Amino acid sequence: MKRAVVLAGGGAKGSYQFGFWRALRELGIDFQIVTGSSVGALNGALMASGLYENGLEMWHNITTDDIITTSPSTLSKVIDTDNIASSLKSFLGDLGESAVTVKMDPFPLGELIAKYLDEKHLRESGIDFGIMVSEYPNMKTHPVRLSEIPYGMLRDYLLASSTVFPSMDPKEIAGKKFVDGGYSDNFPINLALDMGAEDIIGVNLRASGIEAKYETDYPVRVIRPWFELGPTMDFVPDIADRNIALGYNDTMRSFGKLDGCCYTFEKGECEKMQKDFEKYCVDMLVKCGTVAISEKDQYTKSLAVKGLAEKRQHRIGLMDKDLAVVCAETAAETFFVQPTPIYTVESFEKAILDAFRPFEEKEDNPVSAVFRTPKPLNYKLGQLSGADKRDITAYLVSLWPEIASSENPNRDLRTLCRYVPKEFFASLYISFLKLKGE
């Protein structure tokens, strides 16, 4: 069986793919095919060569100036971005206006490729390697396999796959012009299939670019970041280190070696979290009227829990075992708890409470002030649209002690569960942590 690694483009976000590679090495997962587009092609060439340490050194040290040099450009006066081909507009995405107002010189990137990549080493690796570039000006896909590239021209094709037009001039090779692979297929799974892949592990960076549709009966595992990886063109070592950690964590969770949905826990910790939280959660959902007593045994199928699952893009069928971790992670994300560590339940709870405490101690919570007024509930709900989610959550946390001691459902809280489900369940989990600490 031939296994392929497929690496999407995404500029500086590509450091995430080295965390993925670190995980593959620890897991002992090998591969026979590698395909990539843009920065995924550069990372892919390093992976196919087995030059892990070279790649780590590169990502730990490079800055934006090491990749490109920039100067003011007159392109924005020449190119009407409202009328650019749809593929180009889609690709520009988070590059924003810089794609047409800044002129980029790819010379430093060529020097970087020469420093860290050994073409001879790659050709002797036994790994089948493919690069996606886009033809210019029609923006059609132009897949190229290493076996088709004349010796000494690998750097040219890697540069072509990373040519961000219109900031960079199209790369000319053998009389043809090419630009970034992201303009036609930023995630070249089809190329891997054409090269004989029967099992695919892909890393999609959630970056700008066109992704071609593919059809296959072979297994395809795609690893994507949940958290933002930073701007596409900001090559900063600290951000790269963070992204490498996230790529490692996400990959290890994908293969079941670590726990969690978007944050990461030691194996077995999420089961412990669910066991601790479940009874409190059910009792409080019944008390506040969001789950009927008749639904108590199947509370994860209630509208309240379905609303949370939808907002968190989580399968409702998995909420029986995942509700606690989804609530905990929602609370952590609300208060910007760092996603890079590998947590225990205890260390995660502490991180959440430490991040929450300044908002709990706030004397002038604007959400509390709004809900203390006698104005109609619809007015109060309207005020939430511009409110800080941390203030909303802190206000909801303040309501739970009263709910716990009351026999009457809280109408406002029941409505807020439907209106702000993430803040509602985040507050429920934090109230549970506060009760545990008493």
Side-chain angles (χ1 to χ4, degrees):
M1 178 186 70
K2 286 189 176 182
R3 179 179 295 115
V5 166
V6 179
L7 303 176
K13 302 175 196 288
S15 49
Y16 178 90
Q17 292 169 344
F18 259 76
F20 159 77
W21 189 10
R22 175 191 163 196
L24 289 195
R25 284 163 58 90
E26 287 191 17
L27 294 168
I29 295 174
D30 59 3
F31 43 86
Q32 294 73 45
I33 298 168
V34 178
T35 67
S37 184
S38 195
V39 73
L42 175 55
N43 282 339
L46 289 164
M47 287 187 71
S49 302
L51 298 175
Y52 178 74
E53 297 299 333
N54 282 25
L56 275 186
E57 180 185 339
M58 180 184 76
W59 282 110
H60 282 148
N61 292 288
I62 59 174
T63 65
T64 302
D65 289 341
D66 294 322
I67 298 296
I68 52 173
T69 55
T70 62
S71 60
S73 172
T74 58
L75 285 168
S76 58
K77 299 176 183 178
V78 177
I79 298 175
D80 178 2
T81 55
D82 290 333
N83 293 312
I84 290 176
S86 60
S87 61
L88 180 55
K89 286 197 290 186
S90 174
F91 177 77
L92 293 179
D94 59 354
L95 294 176
E97 288 301 309
S98 65
V100 292
T101 59
V102 174
K103 182 69 175 175
M104 301 179 186
D105 180 357
F107 176 78
L109 176 57
E111 293 296 291
L112 197 75
I113 293 170
K115 178 178 179 180
Y116 289 105
L117 185 63
D118 184 331
E119 181 174 348
K120 182 174 182 293
H121 199 94
L122 173 60
R123 291 182 183 275
E124 293 175 353
S125 69
I127 303 295
D128 200 359
F129 177 57
I131 301 172
M132 180 59 66
V133 296
S134 303
E135 296 178 4
Y136 177 84
N138 59 30
M139 302 301 181
K140 289 183 179 179
T141 58
H142 189 96
V144 185
R145 295 174 69 164
L146 180 63
S147 58
E148 301 168 340
I149 299 175
Y151 194 94
M153 294 191 67
L154 174 64
R155 179 166 60 168
D156 291 324
Y157 280 94
L158 290 173
L159 283 171
S161 188
S162 303
T163 295
V164 183
F165 176 82
S167 281
M168 294 180 181
D169 294 329
K171 178 70 176 174
E172 186 168 337
I173 302 174
K176 293 184 177 180
K177 292 182 177 180
F178 302 101
V179 293
D180 199 295
Y183 289 129
S184 57
D185 190 0
N186 201 44
F187 193 33
I189 288 178
N190 283 316
L191 174 54
L193 292 169
D194 290 343
M195 292 167 65
E198 300 165 298
D199 179 51
I200 293 174
I201 308 171
V203 184
N204 188 322
L205 298 173
R206 297 188 186 274
S208 304
I210 300 296
E211 293 182 16
K213 294 181 179 179
Y214 64 89
E215 292 185 7
T216 181
D217 292 328
Y218 292 122
V220 177
R221 180 193 299 266
V222 179
I223 296 165
R224 297 180 177 88
W226 175 271
F227 295 96
E228 287 294 324
L229 300 179
T232 298
M233 299 309 292
D234 283 2
F235 292 83
V236 180
D238 286 348
I239 295 176
D241 287 345
R242 174 184 180 274
N243 291 347
I244 289 170
L246 291 175
Y248 173 81
N249 290 352
D250 292 351
T251 305
M252 295 299 276
R253 290 201 319 274
S254 175
F255 282 93
K257 300 301 181 181
L258 293 172
D259 277 356
C261 299
C262 57
Y263 285 84
T264 308
F265 303 87
E266 293 178 5
K267 194 67 180 169
E269 292 294 287
C270 289
E271 184 178 352
K272 183 165 71 172
M273 191 185 298
Q274 179 73 6
K275 183 179 178 181
D276 290 346
F277 179 64
E278 187 169 27
K279 184 179 185 307
Y280 176 83
C281 177
V282 176
D283 288 347
M284 297 306 284
L285 290 178
V286 171
K287 275 184 172 290
C288 73
T290 58
V291 170
I293 293 177
S294 60
E295 294 181 305
K296 190 172 180 179
D297 291 339
Q298 294 187 320
Y299 73 101
T300 57
K301 295 181 173 59
S302 66
L303 289 176
V305 174
K306 286 180 179 178
L308 174 65
E310 180 179 345
K311 290 290 184 181
R312 295 293 298 184
Q313 301 172 35
H314 198 85
R315 290 183 183 276
I316 186 64
L318 298 178
M319 292 299 267
D320 285 337
K321 69 179 185 66
D322 289 345
L323 180 61
V325 70
V326 171
C327 291
E329 290 183 344
T330 302
E333 197 171 0
T334 300
F335 289 93
F336 303 107
V337 170
Q338 286 297 321
T340 51
I342 298 173
Y343 289 98
T344 62
V345 171
E346 291 76 15
S347 64
F348 198 57
E349 291 175 350
K350 182 180 184 303
I352 292 171
L353 289 174
D354 286 348
F356 168 69
R357 196 163 289 115
F359 290 85
E360 179 184 32
E361 296 169 353
K362 229 172 150 179
E363 294 181 0
D364 56 346
N365 185 325
V367 176
S368 297
V370 167
F371 275 81
R372 282 197 300 267
T373 67
K375 298 203 175 200
L377 180 59
N378 284 343
Y379 167 81
K380 297 175 183 178
L381 293 175
Q383 300 303 300
L384 294 180
S385 60
D388 189 318
K389 294 180 180 180
R390 295 168 294 182
D391 287 330
I392 298 171
T393 304
Y395 167 67
L396 291 171
V397 170
S398 72
L399 299 180
W400 286 110
E402 181 183 343
I403 300 300
S405 60
S406 173
E407 296 300 324
N408 299 315
N410 183 300
R411 178 173 173 265
D412 285 3
L413 198 60
R414 189 166 65 246
T415 302
L416 285 164
C417 177
R418 296 194 300 270
Y419 197 76
V420 284
K422 290 199 292 186
E423 291 83 354
F424 175 91
F425 279 97
S427 75
L428 179 59
Y429 189 79
I430 292 172
S431 70
F432 166 68
L433 298 186
K434 286 170 59 64
L435 184 64
K436 274 180 68 176
E438 292 177 357

PDB file of all heavy atoms in Angstrom, residues 16-17 19-24 27 29 201 203 221 223-224 245-258:
ATOM      1  N   TYR A  16       3.339  24.865  10.861  1.00  0.00           N
ATOM      2  CA  TYR A  16       2.439  23.871  11.456  1.00  0.00           C
ATOM      3  C   TYR A  16       2.735  22.466  10.918  1.00  0.00           C
ATOM      4  O   TYR A  16       2.631  21.468  11.645  1.00  0.00           O
ATOM      5  CB  TYR A  16       1.005  24.289  11.130  1.00  0.00           C
ATOM      6  CG  TYR A  16      -0.104  23.394  11.609  1.00  0.00           C
ATOM      7  CD1 TYR A  16      -0.692  23.573  12.859  1.00  0.00           C
ATOM      8  CD2 TYR A  16      -0.630  22.405  10.779  1.00  0.00           C
ATOM      9  CE1 TYR A  16      -1.752  22.785  13.273  1.00  0.00           C
ATOM     10  CE2 TYR A  16      -1.687  21.610  11.187  1.00  0.00           C
ATOM     11  CZ  TYR A  16      -2.241  21.807  12.442  1.00  0.00           C
ATOM     12  OH  TYR A  16      -3.298  21.015  12.851  1.00  0.00           O
ATOM     13  N   GLN A  17       3.143  22.388   9.659  1.00  0.00           N
ATOM     14  CA  GLN A  17       3.381  21.089   9.031  1.00  0.00           C
ATOM     15  C   GLN A  17       4.611  20.388   9.599  1.00  0.00           C
ATOM     16  O   GLN A  17       4.722  19.165   9.500  1.00  0.00           O
ATOM     17  CB  GLN A  17       3.504  21.275   7.512  1.00  0.00           C
ATOM     18  CG  GLN A  17       2.175  21.697   6.886  1.00  0.00           C
ATOM     19  CD  GLN A  17       2.280  22.144   5.436  1.00  0.00           C
ATOM     20  OE1 GLN A  17       3.367  22.434   4.944  1.00  0.00           O
ATOM     21  NE2 GLN A  17       1.151  22.213   4.751  1.00  0.00           N
ATOM     22  N   GLY A  19       5.255  20.406  12.852  1.00  0.00           N
ATOM     23  CA  GLY A  19       4.724  19.720  14.024  1.00  0.00           C
ATOM     24  C   GLY A  19       4.058  18.414  13.631  1.00  0.00           C
ATOM     25  O   GLY A  19       4.187  17.394  14.326  1.00  0.00           O
ATOM     26  N   PHE A  20       3.355  18.442  12.501  1.00  0.00           N
ATOM     27  CA  PHE A  20       2.762  17.227  11.935  1.00  0.00           C
ATOM     28  C   PHE A  20       3.846  16.190  11.649  1.00  0.00           C
ATOM     29  O   PHE A  20       3.721  15.013  11.992  1.00  0.00           O
ATOM     30  CB  PHE A  20       2.006  17.607  10.661  1.00  0.00           C
ATOM     31  CG  PHE A  20       1.752  16.491   9.699  1.00  0.00           C
ATOM     32  CD1 PHE A  20       0.744  15.561   9.928  1.00  0.00           C
ATOM     33  CD2 PHE A  20       2.513  16.363   8.541  1.00  0.00           C
ATOM     34  CE1 PHE A  20       0.497  14.529   9.031  1.00  0.00           C
ATOM     35  CE2 PHE A  20       2.271  15.348   7.633  1.00  0.00           C
ATOM     36  CZ  PHE A  20       1.261  14.425   7.885  1.00  0.00           C
ATOM     37  N   TRP A  21       4.954  16.628  11.035  1.00  0.00           N
ATOM     38  CA  TRP A  21       6.030  15.689  10.704  1.00  0.00           C
ATOM     39  C   TRP A  21       6.659  15.130  11.971  1.00  0.00           C
ATOM     40  O   TRP A  21       6.975  13.940  12.050  1.00  0.00           O
ATOM     41  CB  TRP A  21       7.075  16.380   9.837  1.00  0.00           C
ATOM     42  CG  TRP A  21       8.109  15.457   9.267  1.00  0.00           C
ATOM     43  CD1 TRP A  21       8.100  14.084   9.282  1.00  0.00           C
ATOM     44  CD2 TRP A  21       9.300  15.836   8.566  1.00  0.00           C
ATOM     45  NE1 TRP A  21       9.215  13.586   8.651  1.00  0.00           N
ATOM     46  CE2 TRP A  21       9.970  14.633   8.196  1.00  0.00           C
ATOM     47  CE3 TRP A  21       9.865  17.056   8.222  1.00  0.00           C
ATOM     48  CZ2 TRP A  21      11.180  14.644   7.502  1.00  0.00           C
ATOM     49  CZ3 TRP A  21      11.065  17.060   7.523  1.00  0.00           C
ATOM     50  CH2 TRP A  21      11.713  15.860   7.177  1.00  0.00           C
ATOM     51  N   ARG A  22       6.830  15.976  12.981  1.00  0.00           N
ATOM     52  CA  ARG A  22       7.369  15.478  14.254  1.00  0.00           C
ATOM     53  C   ARG A  22       6.495  14.344  14.797  1.00  0.00           C
ATOM     54  O   ARG A  22       6.999  13.310  15.259  1.00  0.00           O
ATOM     55  CB  ARG A  22       7.431  16.617  15.274  1.00  0.00           C
ATOM     56  CG  ARG A  22       7.860  16.151  16.662  1.00  0.00           C
ATOM     57  CD  ARG A  22       7.650  17.237  17.705  1.00  0.00           C
ATOM     58  NE  ARG A  22       7.679  16.657  19.055  1.00  0.00           N
ATOM     59  CZ  ARG A  22       7.242  17.280  20.133  1.00  0.00           C
ATOM     60  NH1 ARG A  22       6.734  18.500  20.055  1.00  0.00           N
ATOM     61  NH2 ARG A  22       7.304  16.685  21.305  1.00  0.00           N
ATOM     62  N   ALA A  23       5.179  14.514  14.714  1.00  0.00           N
ATOM     63  CA  ALA A  23       4.267  13.480  15.206  1.00  0.00           C
ATOM     64  C   ALA A  23       4.384  12.201  14.380  1.00  0.00           C
ATOM     65  O   ALA A  23       4.420  11.092  14.934  1.00  0.00           O
ATOM     66  CB  ALA A  23       2.832  14.002  15.188  1.00  0.00           C
ATOM     67  N   LEU A  24       4.450  12.340  13.064  1.00  0.00           N
ATOM     68  CA  LEU A  24       4.599  11.147  12.218  1.00  0.00           C
ATOM     69  C   LEU A  24       5.857  10.370  12.578  1.00  0.00           C
ATOM     70  O   LEU A  24       5.851   9.130  12.613  1.00  0.00           O
ATOM     71  CB  LEU A  24       4.658  11.528  10.741  1.00  0.00           C
ATOM     72  CG  LEU A  24       3.394  12.041  10.054  1.00  0.00           C
ATOM     73  CD1 LEU A  24       3.594  12.007   8.536  1.00  0.00           C
ATOM     74  CD2 LEU A  24       2.161  11.242  10.433  1.00  0.00           C
ATOM     75  N   LEU A  27       5.241   8.504  15.745  1.00  0.00           N
ATOM     76  CA  LEU A  27       4.281   7.428  15.537  1.00  0.00           C
ATOM     77  C   LEU A  27       4.840   6.309  14.654  1.00  0.00           C
ATOM     78  O   LEU A  27       4.220   5.252  14.527  1.00  0.00           O
ATOM     79  CB  LEU A  27       2.997   7.989  14.908  1.00  0.00           C
ATOM     80  CG  LEU A  27       2.187   8.944  15.786  1.00  0.00           C
ATOM     81  CD1 LEU A  27       1.120   9.656  14.956  1.00  0.00           C
ATOM     82  CD2 LEU A  27       1.539   8.198  16.951  1.00  0.00           C
ATOM     83  N   ILE A  29       5.122   6.409  11.385  1.00  0.00           N
ATOM     84  CA  ILE A  29       4.326   6.329  10.157  1.00  0.00           C
ATOM     85  C   ILE A  29       5.194   6.737   8.973  1.00  0.00           C
ATOM     86  O   ILE A  29       5.712   7.861   8.928  1.00  0.00           O
ATOM     87  CB  ILE A  29       3.084   7.236  10.252  1.00  0.00           C
ATOM     88  CG1 ILE A  29       2.144   6.714  11.346  1.00  0.00           C
ATOM     89  CG2 ILE A  29       2.359   7.308   8.907  1.00  0.00           C
ATOM     90  CD1 ILE A  29       0.965   7.608  11.624  1.00  0.00           C
ATOM     91  N   ILE A 201      -2.630  11.089   3.993  1.00  0.00           N
ATOM     92  CA  ILE A 201      -2.681  11.930   5.184  1.00  0.00           C
ATOM     93  C   ILE A 201      -2.350  13.341   4.715  1.00  0.00           C
ATOM     94  O   ILE A 201      -1.260  13.585   4.175  1.00  0.00           O
ATOM     95  CB  ILE A 201      -1.654  11.497   6.252  1.00  0.00           C
ATOM     96  CG1 ILE A 201      -1.776  10.015   6.554  1.00  0.00           C
ATOM     97  CG2 ILE A 201      -1.842  12.316   7.528  1.00  0.00           C
ATOM     98  CD1 ILE A 201      -0.660   9.476   7.437  1.00  0.00           C
ATOM     99  N   VAL A 203      -2.390  17.727   5.295  1.00  0.00           N
ATOM    100  CA  VAL A 203      -2.389  18.843   6.246  1.00  0.00           C
ATOM    101  C   VAL A 203      -2.886  20.075   5.515  1.00  0.00           C
ATOM    102  O   VAL A 203      -2.211  20.616   4.636  1.00  0.00           O
ATOM    103  CB  VAL A 203      -0.989  19.102   6.828  1.00  0.00           C
ATOM    104  CG1 VAL A 203      -1.065  20.212   7.874  1.00  0.00           C
ATOM    105  CG2 VAL A 203      -0.415  17.841   7.448  1.00  0.00           C
ATOM    106  N   ARG A 221      -7.184  11.063   5.458  1.00  0.00           N
ATOM    107  CA  ARG A 221      -7.214  11.718   6.773  1.00  0.00           C
ATOM    108  C   ARG A 221      -6.674  13.135   6.598  1.00  0.00           C
ATOM    109  O   ARG A 221      -5.543  13.318   6.125  1.00  0.00           O
ATOM    110  CB  ARG A 221      -6.346  10.954   7.771  1.00  0.00           C
ATOM    111  CG  ARG A 221      -6.318  11.572   9.185  1.00  0.00           C
ATOM    112  CD  ARG A 221      -5.197  10.946  10.019  1.00  0.00           C
ATOM    113  NE  ARG A 221      -5.386   9.516  10.190  1.00  0.00           N
ATOM    114  CZ  ARG A 221      -5.986   8.951  11.229  1.00  0.00           C
ATOM    115  NH1 ARG A 221      -6.444   9.718  12.210  1.00  0.00           N
ATOM    116  NH2 ARG A 221      -6.108   7.641  11.307  1.00  0.00           N
ATOM    117  N   ILE A 223      -5.770  16.718   8.479  1.00  0.00           N
ATOM    118  CA  ILE A 223      -5.500  17.396   9.746  1.00  0.00           C
ATOM    119  C   ILE A 223      -5.523  18.895   9.495  1.00  0.00           C
ATOM    120  O   ILE A 223      -4.834  19.399   8.597  1.00  0.00           O
ATOM    121  CB  ILE A 223      -4.150  16.935  10.331  1.00  0.00           C
ATOM    122  CG1 ILE A 223      -4.245  15.436  10.670  1.00  0.00           C
ATOM    123  CG2 ILE A 223      -3.766  17.753  11.560  1.00  0.00           C
ATOM    124  CD1 ILE A 223      -2.920  14.773  10.904  1.00  0.00           C
ATOM    125  N   ARG A 224      -6.344  19.602  10.262  1.00  0.00           N
ATOM    126  CA  ARG A 224      -6.504  21.048  10.102  1.00  0.00           C
ATOM    127  C   ARG A 224      -6.324  21.732  11.451  1.00  0.00           C
ATOM    128  O   ARG A 224      -6.741  21.199  12.474  1.00  0.00           O
ATOM    129  CB  ARG A 224      -7.900  21.397   9.583  1.00  0.00           C
ATOM    130  CG  ARG A 224      -8.250  20.864   8.206  1.00  0.00           C
ATOM    131  CD  ARG A 224      -9.661  21.291   7.828  1.00  0.00           C
ATOM    132  NE  ARG A 224     -10.027  20.879   6.491  1.00  0.00           N
ATOM    133  CZ  ARG A 224     -10.581  19.709   6.194  1.00  0.00           C
ATOM    134  NH1 ARG A 224     -10.809  18.830   7.167  1.00  0.00           N
ATOM    135  NH2 ARG A 224     -10.898  19.416   4.953  1.00  0.00           N
ATOM    136  N   ALA A 245       4.107  23.384  17.639  1.00  0.00           N
ATOM    137  CA  ALA A 245       3.473  22.708  18.782  1.00  0.00           C
ATOM    138  C   ALA A 245       2.031  22.346  18.467  1.00  0.00           C
ATOM    139  O   ALA A 245       1.564  21.239  18.779  1.00  0.00           O
ATOM    140  CB  ALA A 245       3.548  23.591  20.026  1.00  0.00           C
ATOM    141  N   LEU A 246       1.294  23.260  17.818  1.00  0.00           N
ATOM    142  CA  LEU A 246      -0.101  22.979  17.472  1.00  0.00           C
ATOM    143  C   LEU A 246      -0.201  21.849  16.450  1.00  0.00           C
ATOM    144  O   LEU A 246      -1.079  20.982  16.552  1.00  0.00           O
ATOM    145  CB  LEU A 246      -0.770  24.243  16.922  1.00  0.00           C
ATOM    146  CG  LEU A 246      -1.002  25.382  17.909  1.00  0.00           C
ATOM    147  CD1 LEU A 246      -1.554  26.611  17.188  1.00  0.00           C
ATOM    148  CD2 LEU A 246      -1.953  24.952  19.025  1.00  0.00           C
ATOM    149  N   GLY A 247       0.688  21.853  15.462  1.00  0.00           N
ATOM    150  CA  GLY A 247       0.665  20.787  14.464  1.00  0.00           C
ATOM    151  C   GLY A 247       0.935  19.426  15.075  1.00  0.00           C
ATOM    152  O   GLY A 247       0.310  18.417  14.705  1.00  0.00           O
ATOM    153  N   TYR A 248       1.858  19.381  16.020  1.00  0.00           N
ATOM    154  CA  TYR A 248       2.152  18.128  16.722  1.00  0.00           C
ATOM    155  C   TYR A 248       0.940  17.671  17.527  1.00  0.00           C
ATOM    156  O   TYR A 248       0.516  16.506  17.443  1.00  0.00           O
ATOM    157  CB  TYR A 248       3.350  18.335  17.640  1.00  0.00           C
ATOM    158  CG  TYR A 248       3.642  17.154  18.542  1.00  0.00           C
ATOM    159  CD1 TYR A 248       4.337  16.048  18.067  1.00  0.00           C
ATOM    160  CD2 TYR A 248       3.195  17.135  19.875  1.00  0.00           C
ATOM    161  CE1 TYR A 248       4.594  14.954  18.890  1.00  0.00           C
ATOM    162  CE2 TYR A 248       3.446  16.054  20.697  1.00  0.00           C
ATOM    163  CZ  TYR A 248       4.145  14.961  20.205  1.00  0.00           C
ATOM    164  OH  TYR A 248       4.381  13.890  21.012  1.00  0.00           O
ATOM    165  N   ASN A 249       0.369  18.574  18.313  1.00  0.00           N
ATOM    166  CA  ASN A 249      -0.776  18.223  19.157  1.00  0.00           C
ATOM    167  C   ASN A 249      -1.952  17.729  18.328  1.00  0.00           C
ATOM    168  O   ASN A 249      -2.579  16.709  18.653  1.00  0.00           O
ATOM    169  CB  ASN A 249      -1.215  19.436  19.985  1.00  0.00           C
ATOM    170  CG  ASN A 249      -0.225  19.813  21.066  1.00  0.00           C
ATOM    171  OD1 ASN A 249       0.739  19.101  21.309  1.00  0.00           O
ATOM    172  ND2 ASN A 249      -0.457  20.940  21.713  1.00  0.00           N
ATOM    173  N   ASP A 250      -2.280  18.463  17.267  1.00  0.00           N
ATOM    174  CA  ASP A 250      -3.438  18.095  16.449  1.00  0.00           C
ATOM    175  C   ASP A 250      -3.246  16.739  15.788  1.00  0.00           C
ATOM    176  O   ASP A 250      -4.192  15.945  15.669  1.00  0.00           O
ATOM    177  CB  ASP A 250      -3.693  19.167  15.382  1.00  0.00           C
ATOM    178  CG  ASP A 250      -4.176  20.487  15.970  1.00  0.00           C
ATOM    179  OD1 ASP A 250      -4.468  20.535  17.173  1.00  0.00           O
ATOM    180  OD2 ASP A 250      -4.233  21.478  15.215  1.00  0.00           O
ATOM    181  N   THR A 251      -2.036  16.457  15.364  1.00  0.00           N
ATOM    182  CA  THR A 251      -1.769  15.170  14.719  1.00  0.00           C
ATOM    183  C   THR A 251      -1.854  14.026  15.719  1.00  0.00           C
ATOM    184  O   THR A 251      -2.465  12.977  15.441  1.00  0.00           O
ATOM    185  CB  THR A 251      -0.389  15.183  14.048  1.00  0.00           C
ATOM    186  OG1 THR A 251      -0.315  16.291  13.142  1.00  0.00           O
ATOM    187  CG2 THR A 251      -0.147  13.893  13.284  1.00  0.00           C
ATOM    188  N   MET A 252      -1.281  14.212  16.885  1.00  0.00           N
ATOM    189  CA  MET A 252      -1.334  13.153  17.904  1.00  0.00           C
ATOM    190  C   MET A 252      -2.770  12.899  18.362  1.00  0.00           C
ATOM    191  O   MET A 252      -3.144  11.743  18.630  1.00  0.00           O
ATOM    192  CB  MET A 252      -0.440  13.522  19.083  1.00  0.00           C
ATOM    193  CG  MET A 252       1.044  13.595  18.745  1.00  0.00           C
ATOM    194  SD  MET A 252       1.743  12.033  18.136  1.00  0.00           S
ATOM    195  CE  MET A 252       2.091  11.204  19.702  1.00  0.00           C
ATOM    196  N   ARG A 253      -3.587  13.943  18.429  1.00  0.00           N
ATOM    197  CA  ARG A 253      -5.005  13.725  18.758  1.00  0.00           C
ATOM    198  C   ARG A 253      -5.718  12.990  17.625  1.00  0.00           C
ATOM    199  O   ARG A 253      -6.547  12.113  17.861  1.00  0.00           O
ATOM    200  CB  ARG A 253      -5.709  15.060  19.027  1.00  0.00           C
ATOM    201  CG  ARG A 253      -5.311  15.754  20.304  1.00  0.00           C
ATOM    202  CD  ARG A 253      -6.387  16.756  20.749  1.00  0.00           C
ATOM    203  NE  ARG A 253      -6.930  17.506  19.636  1.00  0.00           N
ATOM    204  CZ  ARG A 253      -6.416  18.617  19.129  1.00  0.00           C
ATOM    205  NH1 ARG A 253      -5.311  19.120  19.658  1.00  0.00           N
ATOM    206  NH2 ARG A 253      -6.990  19.232  18.120  1.00  0.00           N
ATOM    207  N   SER A 254      -5.395  13.350  16.391  1.00  0.00           N
ATOM    208  CA  SER A 254      -6.038  12.711  15.246  1.00  0.00           C
ATOM    209  C   SER A 254      -5.792  11.209  15.240  1.00  0.00           C
ATOM    210  O   SER A 254      -6.676  10.427  14.871  1.00  0.00           O
ATOM    211  CB  SER A 254      -5.514  13.330  13.940  1.00  0.00           C
ATOM    212  OG  SER A 254      -6.036  12.670  12.812  1.00  0.00           O
ATOM    213  N   PHE A 255      -4.616  10.786  15.683  1.00  0.00           N
ATOM    214  CA  PHE A 255      -4.287   9.366  15.716  1.00  0.00           C
ATOM    215  C   PHE A 255      -4.601   8.717  17.071  1.00  0.00           C
ATOM    216  O   PHE A 255      -4.227   7.572  17.311  1.00  0.00           O
ATOM    217  CB  PHE A 255      -2.813   9.167  15.360  1.00  0.00           C
ATOM    218  CG  PHE A 255      -2.539   9.271  13.886  1.00  0.00           C
ATOM    219  CD1 PHE A 255      -2.161  10.484  13.321  1.00  0.00           C
ATOM    220  CD2 PHE A 255      -2.694   8.174  13.055  1.00  0.00           C
ATOM    221  CE1 PHE A 255      -1.917  10.591  11.957  1.00  0.00           C
ATOM    222  CE2 PHE A 255      -2.455   8.267  11.688  1.00  0.00           C
ATOM    223  CZ  PHE A 255      -2.068   9.484  11.138  1.00  0.00           C
ATOM    224  N   GLY A 256      -5.298   9.458  17.934  1.00  0.00           N
ATOM    225  CA  GLY A 256      -5.771   8.881  19.193  1.00  0.00           C
ATOM    226  C   GLY A 256      -4.708   8.692  20.253  1.00  0.00           C
ATOM    227  O   GLY A 256      -4.947   7.991  21.242  1.00  0.00           O
ATOM    228  N   LYS A 257      -3.561   9.336  20.104  1.00  0.00           N
ATOM    229  CA  LYS A 257      -2.493   9.181  21.089  1.00  0.00           C
ATOM    230  C   LYS A 257      -2.597  10.202  22.217  1.00  0.00           C
ATOM    231  O   LYS A 257      -1.996  10.027  23.283  1.00  0.00           O
ATOM    232  CB  LYS A 257      -1.117   9.294  20.419  1.00  0.00           C
ATOM    233  CG  LYS A 257      -0.881   8.237  19.347  1.00  0.00           C
ATOM    234  CD  LYS A 257      -0.986   6.831  19.915  1.00  0.00           C
ATOM    235  CE  LYS A 257      -0.723   5.768  18.860  1.00  0.00           C
ATOM    236  NZ  LYS A 257      -0.846   4.399  19.412  1.00  0.00           N
ATOM    237  N   LEU A 258      -3.320  11.279  21.983  1.00  0.00           N
ATOM    238  CA  LEU A 258      -3.616  12.276  23.001  1.00  0.00           C
ATOM    239  C   LEU A 258      -5.105  12.564  22.953  1.00  0.00           C
ATOM    240  O   LEU A 258      -5.773  12.268  21.961  1.00  0.00           O
ATOM    241  CB  LEU A 258      -2.809  13.553  22.768  1.00  0.00           C
ATOM    242  CG  LEU A 258      -1.281  13.435  22.959  1.00  0.00           C
ATOM    243  CD1 LEU A 258      -0.597  14.713  22.495  1.00  0.00           C
ATOM    244  CD2 LEU A 258      -0.917  13.134  24.408  1.00  0.00           C
TER     245      LEU A 258
END
